[in-house]
Amino acid sequence: MLYNQALRTITTERLALRLFEQTDAEVVAKLCNNIKIYQNTLYLPYPYSLEDALAWMEPHLDRFVADKSYEFAVTDKESGQLYGAIALSNLHVHKSGEVAYWIGEPFWGKGYATEAAQAIIQFAFEEKHYHKVFARYFGTNPASGRVLQKVGMKQEGILKDHVRKEDRYEDLVYYGIIDEGDMEGN
């Protein structure tokens, strides 16, 4: 993982994580207007429109500059093709943050979520000096759990019927990882 502070980019072996641009809105709308992504995310609307994409992207830069959250487009390092998104919140008082992500269905099963998640965890620990990174996913979405396991996160608990999605209650499965180099909480 290589972070370029001036450009606000993270690069990995195959990916470039960068801020979203307005020109990404059409692709974001196309990828997010997918019932499977909607069913596995807490806050994405469905159907998902161009206006939804623009409204979602609009505050990203301000939040990044204010160190509130870091929303990155997950793109191919060579071609620039947009695969999805990964975000990291910043809970300053706790030196922690939540990672959340989605990858467009045409790009599932290629390891992009895992590679992006590993990079964002490194960013959290090495650049932002977090003590802990955590994530949560619906119990009905075990693929997301596999991503978190692959990046070294451990299951910390399950909140039964914790949220309501459409006409059903969903368990939220919590995972976390602690920066072992920050055991003093510095």
Side-chain angles (χ1 to χ4, degrees):
M1 183 279 304
L2 179 64
Y3 177 58
N4 183 317
Q5 187 172 1
L7 297 176
R8 298 183 181 105
T9 60
I10 298 171
T11 52
T12 67
E13 183 181 337
R14 300 180 298 162
L15 303 175
L17 310 182
R18 59 162 174 81
L19 294 179
F20 279 92
E21 301 163 358
Q22 278 197 327
T23 55
D24 296 320
E26 278 189 43
V27 175
V28 168
K30 181 180 177 189
L31 293 174
C32 287
N33 192 33
N34 179 312
I35 192 71
K36 293 177 186 172
I37 290 179
Y38 165 75
Q39 289 170 333
N40 289 306
T41 55
L42 194 52
Y43 301 112
L44 263 89
Y46 184 81
Y48 195 96
S49 69
L50 180 62
E51 292 73 27
D52 291 324
L54 289 167
W56 173 67
M57 291 187 300
E58 193 271 326
H60 288 179
L61 178 58
D62 289 342
R63 289 180 186 157
F64 196 107
V65 170
D67 272 335
K68 291 183 178 178
S69 65
Y70 317 99
E71 301 262 3
F72 291 100
V74 176
T75 68
D76 182 273
K77 186 163 76 172
E78 302 302 322
S79 72
Q81 182 172 18
L82 179 66
Y83 296 143
I86 192 158
L88 178 69
S89 64
N90 191 348
L91 305 172
H92 292 272
V93 70
H94 302 296
K95 291 184 60 182
S96 68
E98 179 177 11
V99 65
Y101 50 85
W102 60 264
I103 298 293
E105 186 176 8
F107 311 110
W108 290 358
K110 299 181 184 339
Y112 299 138
T114 301
E115 192 170 327
Q118 187 64 56
I120 205 85
I121 290 168
Q122 283 185 262
F123 171 77
F125 291 157
E126 296 172 13
E127 299 296 330
K128 297 300 176 180
H129 308 290
Y130 285 19
H131 177 68
K132 180 178 182 174
V133 174
F134 61 95
R136 57 193 172 149
Y137 67 92
F138 290 160
T140 54
N141 184 13
S144 197
R146 285 191 295 279
V147 167
L148 301 178
Q149 291 165 6
K150 288 177 189 175
V151 299
M153 288 189 162
K154 302 291 185 218
Q155 183 177 317
E156 296 183 345
I158 300 173
L159 301 178
K160 300 302 246 175
D161 287 355
H162 195 69
V163 294
R164 188 165 169 80
K165 180 73 177 190
E166 294 183 304
D167 60 347
R168 69 188 188 280
Y169 287 96
E170 289 278 355
D171 295 350
L172 283 185
V173 183
Y174 273 74
Y175 270 70
I177 187 169
I178 293 172
D179 181 1
E180 297 299 331
D182 186 45
M183 293 310 292
E184 307 289 313
N186 298 318

